[in-house]
Amino acid sequence: LGEPNKYFQEIYRILRSEGQLTLSYIQKDFALKQTFATEEVFHFHKTEWLIRLLTNIGFYNIEQWQYMENTTNKLGQAVVRPFVILKATKL
């Protein structure tokens, strides 16, 4: 997301009142351990920053969860992949 503010503003604009936006993303520290996830390719944002951005746009009742997924990586090794899930509601 080069300019996440623009994307979230557009999502807010097209949502109906009380519509919800849900975001899910892996945590930065886990992502950077993956060979394909470099900061030159991916943009990593702090959860607190995303919450503040969504709030400034007009979303409210922003909820946050942590989710741990037990999966295997491309080498077939067991890994626990930590996710953050945000849910925000349009006024």
Side-chain angles (χ1 to χ4, degrees):
L1 294 173
E3 297 183 47
N5 190 44
K6 286 184 179 182
Y7 297 115
F8 292 133
Q9 285 177 346
E10 180 63 9
I11 291 168
Y12 186 88
R13 185 187 71 78
I14 65 173
L15 275 175
R16 292 180 181 164
S17 181
E18 299 300 318
Q20 297 180 328
L21 165 68
T22 302
L23 300 172
S24 178
Y25 52 92
I26 58 174
Q27 295 178 354
K28 179 180 179 177
D29 56 339
F30 176 82
L32 290 177
K33 293 177 186 174
Q34 312 310 304
T35 57
F36 63 88
T38 64
E39 294 193 68
E40 292 81 31
V41 177
F42 291 89
H43 297 273
F44 298 102
H45 303 287
K46 293 186 177 193
T47 298
E48 298 78 21
W49 182 83
L50 288 168
I51 291 172
R52 189 169 49 253
L53 175 64
L54 294 171
T55 301
N56 289 342
I57 290 170
F59 286 98
Y60 75 102
N61 195 30
I62 299 172
E63 300 176 42
Q64 174 184 346
W65 296 279
Q66 301 283 328
Y67 174 74
M68 305 297 259
E69 177 185 40
N70 294 307
T71 189
T72 55
N73 64 16
K74 293 182 180 191
L75 302 173
Q77 302 164 324
V79 294
V80 177
R81 187 170 24 204
F83 283 90
V84 175
I85 301 168
L86 294 178
K87 183 175 82 170
T89 305
K90 179 180 179 177
L91 285 173

